[in-house]
């Protein structure tokens, strides 16, 4: 049913602060329906929506469903006893709106995601590959470094099993892998190892969103750009265990995180989910103590 992640939305206390942060991160910003939106350069799809409110809090999550399947989605929701709701204030009005077991508003949109900005092939001379002959990489590595698409978001939850059951049995996502007792990664079929997931916590909340950039250079250059703007250095550069992507995270102004990623595992229909007991990073410094802090007010 769910074919991809469309955008996520947060309530934040100051839209001007949010706009400055997201622009430093590499997104373009604008107004829509009286709210602040951000999107990836070269992609005609809103990826972040911000609504002004007293405290930072997850507002909603939006997914695409396979074109023409919204009626069957409605029937499945009906069978599962999940009522359709009115869109929350500040949210786009189209599509189908429901609440997940944590009470988070979820939008289901009929249609294909917009194509990501095209990226050049990155030729490498690593391992047994000799693809780049007669070209000086450093002259090209800084050419295209901005986010191309929103890849995934992870939410805090106090009930990971109930949330996983809902998103897999009712909305059609699949478990990709788990870090035992802590993180559940979900996929929408062949493609990125994960587009969504949960981190165990005392209560619901937004943990991070992650945007694909064209290369590992783009991640490091993004981190340099944030440092030059006086932003906190965050966590990275590293390579993750689950999903294998290169990563760098910056803390956002409200105690959650935003990530650039590159080189994430691509999975197929035959992928078998497993439980792992591993740290989140294969190499790189360990995460800061604040990485798993849930800064949102409990309901
Ligand atoms: Fe991530």
């Amino acid at each position: 049913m769910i074919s991809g992640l469309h955008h996520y939305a947060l309530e934040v206390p100051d839209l001007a602060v949010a706009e400055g942060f997201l622009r430093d991160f590499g997104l373009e910003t604008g107004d829509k329906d009286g709210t602040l939106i951000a999107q990836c350069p070269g992609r005609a799809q809103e990826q972040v929506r911000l609504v002004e409110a007293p405290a930072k809090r997850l507002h909603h999550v939006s997914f695409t469903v396979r074109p023409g399947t919204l009626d069957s989605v409605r029937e499945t929701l009906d069978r599962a006893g999940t009522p359709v709701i009115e869109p929350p204030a500040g949210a786009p009005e189209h599509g189908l709106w429901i609440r997940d077991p944590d009470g988070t508003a979820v939008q289901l949109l009929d249609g294909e995601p917009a194509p990501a900005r095209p990226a050049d092939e990155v030729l490498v001379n690593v391992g047994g590959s000799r693809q780049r002959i007669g070209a000086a990489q450093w002259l090209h590595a800084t050419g295209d470094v901005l986010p191309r698409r929103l890849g995934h978001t992870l939410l805090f939850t106090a009930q990971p099993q109930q949330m996983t059951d809902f998103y897999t049995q009712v909305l059609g996502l699949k478990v990709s892998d788990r870090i035992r007792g802590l993180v559940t990664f979900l996929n929408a079929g062949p493609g990125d190892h994960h587009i969504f997931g949960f981190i165990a916590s005392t209560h619901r909340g937004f943990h991070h969103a992650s945007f694909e950039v064209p290369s590992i250079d783009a991640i490091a250059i993004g981190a340099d750009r944030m440092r030059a703007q006086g932003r906190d250095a965050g966590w990275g550069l590293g390579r993750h265990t689950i999903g294998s992507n290169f990563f760098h995270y910056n803390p956002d102004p409200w105690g959650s995180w935003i990530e650039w990623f590159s080189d994430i595992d691509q999975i197929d229909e035959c992928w078998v989910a497993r439980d792992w007991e591993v740290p989140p990073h294969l190499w790189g410094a360990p995460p800061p103590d604040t990485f798993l802090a849930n800064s949102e007010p409990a309901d």
Side-chain angles (χ1 to χ4, degrees):
M1 285 213 295
I2 287 179
S3 59
L5 178 63
H6 189 272
H7 71 268
Y8 67 98
L10 304 177
E11 297 175 12
V12 295
D14 189 329
L15 292 183
V17 168
E19 183 163 30
F21 178 78
L22 294 171
R23 291 178 76 89
D24 286 350
F25 180 78
L27 299 176
E28 293 173 346
T29 56
D31 287 325
K32 199 172 185 180
D33 316 325
T35 61
L36 173 69
I37 61 150
Q39 55 189 54
C40 298
R43 187 182 200 201
Q45 180 172 310
E46 112 188 40
Q47 305 271 252
V48 193
R49 183 175 278 244
L50 296 130
V51 182
E52 198 157 76
K56 174 251 167 180
R57 189 195 291 257
L58 176 64
H59 187 267
H60 68 261
V61 190
S62 174
F63 298 95
T64 51
V65 301
R66 298 184 205 293
T69 63
L70 211 51
D71 283 344
S72 67
V73 171
R74 206 186 293 266
E75 285 167 22
T76 307
L77 291 168
D78 207 36
R79 276 198 301 277
T82 305
V84 171
I85 62 165
E86 290 297 312
E93 292 193 346
H94 47 294
L96 204 58
W97 283 89
I98 56 173
R99 289 197 185 275
D100 71 15
D102 275 357
T104 297
V106 177
Q107 183 187 34
L108 301 169
L109 285 168
D110 190 339
E112 297 281 1
R117 182 181 78 252
D120 288 341
E121 240 184 313
V122 177
L123 301 178
V124 294
N125 296 333
V126 298
S129 298
R130 292 293 176 270
Q131 301 169 345
R132 196 183 67 250
I133 310 295
Q137 179 62 9
W138 70 275
L139 295 174
H140 304 286
T142 58
D144 183 8
V145 296
L146 295 177
R148 297 178 58 229
R149 65 183 176 97
L150 171 64
H152 61 267
T153 186
L154 261 64
L155 306 183
F156 286 119
T157 179
Q159 44 176 359
Q161 191 56 55
Q162 289 91 327
M163 288 284 276
T164 301
D165 289 348
F166 179 77
Y167 279 93
T168 56
Q169 293 166 17
V170 180
L171 296 182
L173 294 179
K174 292 182 188 149
V175 176
S176 308
D177 278 303
R178 286 191 178 92
I179 296 179
R180 192 165 292 152
L182 184 62
V183 193
T184 306
F185 297 90
L186 302 175
N187 69 77
D192 285 4
H193 174 276
H194 52 276
I195 65 150
F196 193 54
F198 311 114
I199 299 178
S201 179
T202 50
H203 57 285
R204 79 174 192 117
F206 169 79
H207 180 264
H208 82 272
S210 188
F211 291 79
E212 186 181 32
V213 289
S215 64
I216 186 173
D217 293 300
I219 297 177
I221 289 165
D224 283 352
R225 185 174 64 246
M226 292 297 251
R227 230 180 334 262
Q229 296 293 337
R231 304 281 179 191
D232 189 316
W235 180 37
L237 180 72
R239 190 191 270 275
H240 272 308
T241 49
I242 312 302
S244 305
N245 47 301
F246 295 119
F247 67 86
H248 186 284
Y249 294 81
N250 273 87
D252 69 22
W254 322 285
S256 47
W257 299 83
I258 197 163
E259 177 188 23
W260 298 284
F261 76 89
S262 179
D263 199 27
I264 197 167
D265 289 337
Q266 297 293 293
I267 64 170
D268 57 20
E269 295 284 5
C270 305
W271 185 264
V272 177
R274 292 175 58 181
D275 281 0
W276 302 90
E277 284 191 49
V278 290
H281 57 299
L282 185 65
W283 53 258
D289 292 341
T290 50
F291 191 65
L292 292 180
N294 185 350
S295 61
E296 294 189 22
D299 289 324

